[in-house]
Amino acid sequence: MDLLYKSTRNENETVTASQAILKGLADNGGLFVPSFIPKLEVSVEELSKMTYREVAYNVMKQYLTDFTEEELKNCINNAYDSKFDTEEIAPMVKAEGEYYLELFHGATIAFKDMALSILPHLMTTAAKKNNVKNDIVILTATSGDTGKAALAGFADVKGTKIVVFYPKGGVSPIQEKQMITQKGDNTFVVGIKGNFDQAQSGVKAIFGNKVLAEEMDNAGYQFSSANSINIGRLVPQIVYYVYAYAKLYANGEISQDEKINVVVPTGNFGNILAAYYAKNMGLPIDKLICASNDNKVLYDFFTTGTYDKNRQFVLTMSPSMDILISSNLERLIYRIAGENAAKNKDLMEKLVSEGKYDITEEMKQGLKDFYGNFGTEDETAEIIKNIYKETGYIIDTHTAVAAVVYDKYKKETKDTTKSVIASTASPFKFTRSVMTSIDEKYNDMEDFELVDELSRIGNVKVPRAIEEIRNAEPRHNTICEVDEMEKVVKDFLGIK
């Protein structure tokens, strides 16, 4: 049975999977969601004997039903190859009794690689399927990781261009250097004088500009997105939760059908939403533990039922989570509103006009699978230090937020269910914050001295992604005001 996609703001707008991937955002500003969540067709026993690529095919074929077996396998094989520095693609490390699912072994050492390695292949395949003649312009806002992973994925891909906006001063030095040194004639990186939410809102405004869309079409271009609003990002993320469960079973860590908890450091809500979809496919997940940093908009939402972005924006040592508008939450809101597009649209419009919305008591019942909490900067630094001292294992700042929240969850609930913590980035990506958390004596070291010291004390090889930028020269130096974003895009594309 073909699985179609509908908009969260108009259930009458339905498209195929390939069309949803190409469009990125629905015409009315809504997000595409599957018309139903399919059930896993293969048993955990069968999955436990599969490679990552095989699990990916068995999960993704149920969502991308207009892709042929050959097309989908070709996308998967091109994505999950030697770009990853481990054969397993997403290995699991046990430390202090918890299971850390390492999602950072791809080309840019962050979990975004898990989806952005395959998105360019899905998109170019989708373009051929739909006889698209225009070049596709990927337009993306990043809080640090999506940008580089998207750039790496789309660099020099024929028939595409990519424009990435990031908050100048709002990402780590390593994250910024990764982006501004990106090669590829079709790549363009812009720092904005603002925060991530402003970058994301600016990108959404460009997507919604019908006059610009016409100008683009006349010039032979059309926009699409590499942000997690694109279902071509979301579907591949479901895979690694299925894979993680199958590996725990294969290694004898859990018995058949034993439930696990999943802990996810959360900003834009895509990563934990993928776990929610996996649970709804029948994967034995109990609690979805949503970890926030000091920008605790999601913690407050899960606690009160009120989503309120009217607060101070805090720059933290976990910058990929410095977000006040969690775009993917809309997909969950739509679901707990009984898939009522009008109700969802009303709430999203309130978020724009008033900066907040309240869900009903009935909708709150749909959140029972979730637990939310947050980790402060001091708590995050402390847990990095403690885990290193006790186990020798070094985690990054985002994974540390998840570890803090998981500790709070265990103390609060006394729940002893085995849990998988999504380890979303390599510690090498946030070297200064990680190393000074371990010991303040590292404060005086240069960035790449810290890289080498982290490698030494953690007994881990410096990733290829870091070595590549060690002496790389910046290629992208454009900085703009928020209200100049559209002009900058048009200039890059040569549209007058």
Side-chain angles (χ1 to χ4, degrees):
M1 182 180 176
D2 277 356
L3 178 62
L4 294 176
Y5 287 79
K6 54 188 177 178
S7 166
T8 53
R9 300 189 194 181
N10 176 8
E11 56 263 284
N12 296 322
E13 183 182 351
T14 58
V15 294
T16 64
S18 62
Q19 288 167 339
I21 289 168
L22 284 171
K23 287 166 81 74
L25 204 60
D27 291 339
N28 49 41
L31 307 189
F32 287 115
V33 289
S35 50
F36 63 93
I37 295 179
K39 294 298 178 188
L40 275 170
E41 291 177 339
V42 285
S43 67
V44 169
E45 184 70 44
E46 292 170 281
L47 289 164
S48 70
K49 297 178 174 68
M50 292 182 187
T51 64
Y52 191 88
R53 294 175 194 85
E54 289 167 337
V55 173
Y57 175 70
N58 277 282
V59 172
M60 291 174 66
K61 73 176 182 180
Q62 295 188 250
Y63 286 92
L64 309 181
T65 56
D66 65 330
F67 284 71
T68 67
E69 179 177 351
E70 183 184 4
E71 285 169 340
L72 187 51
K73 284 185 173 175
N74 188 47
C75 290
I76 289 166
N77 291 334
N78 282 323
Y80 304 114
D81 58 10
S82 60
K83 290 190 289 294
F84 288 80
D85 64 16
T86 167
E87 182 64 30
E88 283 183 278
I89 307 297
M92 200 114 57
V93 172
K94 192 173 182 181
E96 286 203 308
E98 320 311 347
Y99 303 92
Y100 288 86
L101 178 63
E102 293 189 342
L103 300 171
F104 53 76
H105 288 277
T108 74
I109 57 177
F111 84 99
K112 308 291 173 79
D113 290 322
M114 302 300 292
L116 282 163
S117 293
I118 195 169
L119 183 61
H121 303 290
L122 294 174
M123 199 166 278
T124 50
T125 303
K128 283 180 200 157
K129 293 176 83 63
N130 289 278
N131 299 310
V132 170
K133 300 291 185 272
N134 288 341
D135 277 7
I136 296 164
V137 180
I138 303 299
L139 193 63
T140 288
T142 185
S143 55
D145 286 338
T146 285
K148 174 59 183 179
L151 288 161
F154 281 94
D156 292 324
V157 171
K158 196 176 175 187
T160 71
K161 291 185 184 295
I162 176 164
V163 183
V164 169
F165 290 99
Y166 74 95
K168 183 71 180 169
V171 299
S172 80
I174 296 285
Q175 284 177 311
E176 182 173 52
K177 190 161 188 188
Q178 280 189 301
M179 285 189 281
I180 64 173
T181 58
Q182 177 65 50
K183 295 177 182 175
D185 291 339
N186 65 335
T187 65
F188 187 44
V189 180
V190 185
I192 68 152
K193 295 176 183 176
N195 60 42
F196 169 74
D197 287 329
Q198 290 170 303
Q200 183 165 252
S201 296
V203 164
K204 282 187 172 179
I206 293 171
F207 269 115
N209 187 328
K210 299 288 188 281
V211 175
L212 178 59
E214 197 171 316
E215 290 176 323
M216 293 273 292
D217 190 47
N218 291 336
Y221 297 118
Q222 67 187 62
F223 283 129
S224 190
S225 172
N227 277 90
S228 55
I229 55 174
N230 193 314
I231 62 100
R233 274 278 306 273
L234 189 61
V235 169
Q237 291 181 272
I238 300 167
V239 174
Y240 48 73
Y241 293 110
V242 177
Y243 179 78
Y245 189 91
K247 280 296 149 198
L248 286 175
Y249 176 72
N251 296 338
E253 300 283 352
I254 55 173
S255 56
Q256 194 161 2
D257 300 326
E258 182 179 344
K259 288 195 169 184
I260 64 166
N261 294 327
V262 172
V263 191
V264 187
T266 310
N268 222 9
F269 207 74
N271 200 0
I272 196 163
L273 184 73
Y276 176 75
Y277 276 30
K279 176 181 170 88
N280 281 275
M281 289 183 80
L283 198 70
I285 293 174
D286 189 21
K287 278 290 177 198
L288 297 154
I289 299 168
C290 178
S292 301
N293 63 16
D294 278 325
N295 292 289
K296 53 190 178 68
V297 65
L298 286 167
Y299 162 65
D300 291 340
F301 169 69
F302 283 117
T303 308
T304 66
T306 298
Y307 192 98
D308 187 354
K309 74 177 181 73
N310 301 315
R311 62 185 69 206
Q312 182 187 359
F313 185 94
V314 185
L315 289 174
T316 72
M317 71 169 88
S318 47
S320 298
M321 297 160 67
D322 291 348
I323 293 172
L324 295 181
I325 304 172
S326 298
S327 289
N328 268 290
L329 186 65
E330 178 171 347
R331 286 183 164 114
L332 179 64
I333 296 297
Y334 172 74
R335 190 167 170 86
I336 64 173
E339 305 204 342
N340 182 328
K343 172 70 175 168
N344 174 70
K345 187 179 180 200
D346 177 56
L347 293 172
M348 294 307 123
E349 285 174 352
K350 276 192 176 139
L351 184 62
V352 173
S353 61
E354 300 170 24
K356 62 186 285 191
Y357 61 79
D358 299 288
I359 63 171
T360 64
E361 287 302 319
E362 187 181 358
M363 288 171 73
K364 284 180 192 175
Q365 294 307 305
L367 299 179
K368 64 182 184 301
D369 292 336
F370 292 88
Y371 167 91
N373 214 318
F374 72 103
T376 66
E377 292 287 89
D378 287 346
E379 289 169 334
T380 303
E382 187 69 17
I383 209 159
I384 291 171
K385 179 181 181 178
N386 289 345
I387 290 174
Y388 170 66
K389 282 192 166 177
E390 288 164 29
T391 68
Y393 186 54
I394 301 178
I395 57 174
D396 93 292
T397 49
H398 303 74
T399 309
V401 171
V404 167
V405 167
Y406 184 53
D407 272 0
K408 290 181 179 181
Y409 170 78
K410 284 189 294 184
K411 283 176 186 148
E412 198 177 302
T413 65
K414 307 294 187 282
D415 183 6
T416 58
T417 303
K418 294 183 179 108
S419 298
V420 169
I421 296 173
S423 186
T424 52
S426 165
F428 285 97
K429 203 151 193 169
F430 304 94
T431 330
R432 182 162 299 282
S433 295
V434 168
M435 294 299 282
T436 53
S437 295
I438 289 171
D439 197 319
E440 287 184 2
K441 72 181 182 184
Y442 294 122
N443 256 323
D444 299 328
M445 280 192 178
E446 297 294 322
D447 285 330
F448 283 95
E449 285 182 298
L450 288 171
V451 163
D452 294 329
E453 183 67 3
L454 193 160
S455 173
R456 185 187 70 78
I457 69 166
N459 196 27
V460 280
K461 190 178 172 186
V462 176
R464 188 169 57 215
I466 298 295
E467 292 295 3
E468 283 173 355
I469 64 167
R470 195 184 281 265
N471 300 306
E473 291 298 319
R475 295 166 57 93
H476 304 273
N477 301 301
T478 304
I479 298 168
C480 78
E481 301 288 347
V482 174
D483 61 6
E484 296 173 323
M485 288 171 64
E486 183 182 316
K487 180 183 181 299
V488 163
V489 172
K490 288 173 77 169
D491 288 347
F492 171 60
L493 298 175
I495 298 173
K496 302 301 176 197

